[in-house]
Amino acid sequence: MSKTFYIETFGCQMNAHDSEKVIGTLERQGYARVQDEVDAGLILYNTCSIRDKAEQKVFHRLNEYKKMQGEGKRFAVIGCVAQQEGEKIFEKAPYVSLVAGSASYRNLPEMLARLEAGETRITGLDDRQTDETFETEFTARSNPHRGYITIIEGCDKFCAYCVVPYTRGKERSRTAASVLVEARRMADEGFTEIQFLGQNVNSYRDPSGRLSFAELLVAVGEIDGVRRVRFTTSHPRDFTKDIVEAIDATPTLCDHIHLPVQSGSSAVLKAMAREYTRDWYLERMSWIHGAKRDISITSDMIVGFPGETDADFEETITLLGQVKYDAVFAFKFSPRPNTPAITMADSIPDAVKTERLKILMDRQREIQREHYGRHLGQIQECMVESHNAVRGQVVGRSSQNKTVNFVMPRDVSLGAVLPPIGSYLPVRITKTLPNCLVGEALEAEPGVAEEMFFVPAERKNQFVVLQ
Ligand code: 5AD
Ligand code: SF4
């Protein structure tokens, strides 16, 4: 087997970040990453099992890999479907040599050594799933400006529809001291945005008892060089008022909270085992709405959970109007293996789920069309993500996590100047659409450019001048 690898990643940010850990580990073990599976000695498939017949899709994809066997290639299935299906994967796809769930990635060097020695049935399936793989020292973060830090793994909530507690195991938090060391190191390397990751990030409990979740957010926000701190994904049950207070008091904490509600009906929430009611959730919303800063709220919703009546669904629709979310990720309920919801009575026909999903998305789009209007004329700081040199357009992200498409001020003698990726610019919002903002960067006045245009030192010479 040649020491080259190709990796394909599906699923959430947790999985994307896991791949960064796996890539870093492989590179440390002397493997080189290739961009085409044809050139790879080892093909890794990092899988997600959250919805939609994920297992079938994985086996379908593995079938395509099958055609490539016999060229000295080895195959590894990792991530949530690997943890869920376990050794069954070897039975269905005998050409796979390694099956590993996320809780075992720190044993990867040892598993790779066995693979290189010719073993063909290697598993990393920790039943207890209590291992901590928070970060390896060689995590290969794909973006040099903003990076993830896992602060808590697993989930103990057991919502009736969700496969995560079975694929990612019990909740385990990383010490605040270790998170701070990692964040400081990232800041020293030039990262300006740090995003805390966890399936239930705000269930975080510092094992050393030193800092609460909100205090840890503030501590990272105060690190020299850190300009933005985000966190995802939160559970309403563990959402405390001090998180809102911390955001209000600390400008580096982004003014955005993703707080999935799943349904607006207390009856459905009960069936989902979410452990809160509509009113209880709305009380958390009132804390956020009452903040001094305009904190953007986004959510996940599930339509067509077993037993969801038209009246229940209507409550989800009225909740949209009451909260005024800036974005909603809505899904049709999908029965998952091992979860209580798979055997629940009163399943909802797919056509009804489809119709409800459409009604929800149409209503949400109307809300966003109107609600984004509040940004018209505002000046928003944007982190530059990409630009199109031909059209002179820049794509940035606001603290609220909104996409902002903007142009640079035109200097007649210079043409347009495009800022380096990863820099921060003040942008005046001139138009709002349901899913993004449009604007124009402010003119930099001589002498004040340094404060207005935050450009990390090592990228100061990277302005692109368009004639
Ligand atoms: N069916 C549909 N959506 C689901 N989600 C999680 N499990 C399921 C399921 N079985 C959604 C939830 C969660 C998001 C990540 O995916 O809305 O917040
Ligand atoms: Fe998918 Fe959940 Fe696993 Fe993320 S944790 S990859 S969403 S199943």
Side-chain angles (χ1 to χ4, degrees), residues 372-380 382 393 403-409 426-433 436-442:
Y372 275 35
R374 71 191 189 278
H375 298 305
L376 199 65
Q378 287 180 346
I379 293 165
Q380 300 245 336
C382 293
Q393 281 174 344
T403 301
V404 185
N405 295 304
F406 62 95
V407 288
M408 296 301 287
V427 175
R428 187 185 307 285
I429 307 302
T430 54
K431 185 177 167 185
T432 67
L433 294 165
C436 70
L437 306 175
V438 179
E440 191 179 294
L442 292 195

Side-chain angles (χ1 to χ4, degrees), residues 2-214:
S2 89
K3 285 187 97 170
T4 47
F5 73 98
Y6 170 83
I7 186 165
E8 211 166 297
T9 308
F10 292 83
C12 61
Q13 288 136 315
M14 264 51 76
N15 244 23
H17 187 43
D18 280 346
S19 280
E20 294 181 335
K21 297 176 197 175
V22 170
I23 291 166
T25 307
L26 280 158
E27 286 174 345
R28 181 57 74 97
Q29 298 296 315
Y31 284 75
R33 187 175 179 189
V34 294
Q35 296 303 328
D36 190 335
E37 55 200 3
V38 176
D39 304 324
L42 173 62
I43 296 182
L44 299 113
Y45 189 19
N46 191 1
T47 56
C48 168
S49 63
I50 196 96
R51 285 177 293 269
D52 302 334
K53 305 192 179 81
E55 310 72 45
Q56 272 154 269
K57 283 188 196 158
V58 169
F59 288 115
H60 184 77
R61 185 81 182 100
L62 286 176
N63 235 353
E64 289 169 17
Y65 284 166
K66 190 174 164 187
K67 297 176 201 130
M68 290 192 276
Q69 38 169 351
E71 298 162 26
K73 284 194 188 319
R74 310 294 291 277
F75 301 96
V77 182
I78 60 174
C80 295
V81 175
Q83 181 63 42
Q84 181 186 298
E85 299 292 297
E87 299 190 0
K88 273 191 268 170
I89 293 180
F90 294 135
E91 285 161 33
K92 291 197 193 163
Y95 41 91
V96 170
S97 308
L98 192 157
V99 174
S102 62
S104 69
Y105 294 161
R106 71 166 173 186
N107 302 327
L108 257 182
E110 180 244 340
M111 291 191 266
L112 288 169
R114 289 167 56 196
L115 195 69
E116 286 162 26
E119 271 192 59
T120 54
R121 290 287 174 271
I122 304 160
T123 53
L125 302 164
D126 183 356
D127 288 345
R128 296 168 303 117
Q129 291 188 75
T130 48
D131 269 8
E132 298 164 0
T133 37
F134 298 122
E135 297 309 326
T136 65
E137 59 188 283
F138 5 97
T139 299
R141 293 191 168 84
S142 57
N143 183 314
H145 316 290
R146 57 159 195 258
Y148 297 124
I149 299 187
T150 311
I151 67 161
I152 176 168
E153 294 193 343
C155 174
D156 289 344
K157 287 286 186 295
F158 290 92
C159 301
Y161 51 82
C162 188
V163 81
V164 170
Y166 310 94
T167 60
R168 287 188 171 262
K170 291 180 97 45
E171 253 175 40
R172 52 229 185 254
S173 295
R174 181 176 179 182
T175 61
S178 146
V179 173
L180 283 164
V181 167
E182 175 96 23
R184 281 196 203 102
R185 211 187 60 214
M186 287 171 68
D188 289 344
E189 285 171 12
F191 287 90
T192 57
E193 181 176 315
I194 290 190
Q195 185 163 357
F196 284 177
L197 271 189
Q199 287 298 341
N200 269 329
V201 79
N202 58 329
S203 311
Y204 176 81
R205 294 282 171 280
D206 180 3
S208 68
R210 248 184 71 206
L211 298 182
S212 68
F213 174 66

Side-chain angles (χ1 to χ4, degrees), residues 214-289:
E215 287 165 343
L216 183 60
L217 279 173
V218 173
V220 169
E222 284 173 350
I223 292 173
D224 238 9
V226 171
R227 202 167 170 97
R228 285 184 172 179
V229 183
R230 302 183 185 280
F231 54 96
T232 195
T233 181
S234 301
H235 192 293
R237 189 67 227 180
D238 299 307
F239 192 82
T240 46
K241 207 173 183 179
D242 59 352
I243 301 173
V244 181
E245 290 161 357
I247 295 176
D248 244 351
T250 319
T252 47
L253 303 189
C254 289
D255 40 15
H256 170 217
I257 295 172
H258 183 65
L259 199 58
V261 65
Q262 313 299 359
S263 169
S265 149
S266 294
V268 174
L269 289 171
K270 186 150 194 262
M272 287 176 165
R274 289 290 285 178
E275 296 182 350
Y276 55 85
T277 60
R278 176 191 175 102
D279 284 347
W280 199 90
Y281 181 85
L282 281 173
E283 190 187 2
R284 271 87 205 137
M285 294 297 106
S286 72
W287 297 343
I288 303 172
H289 286 142

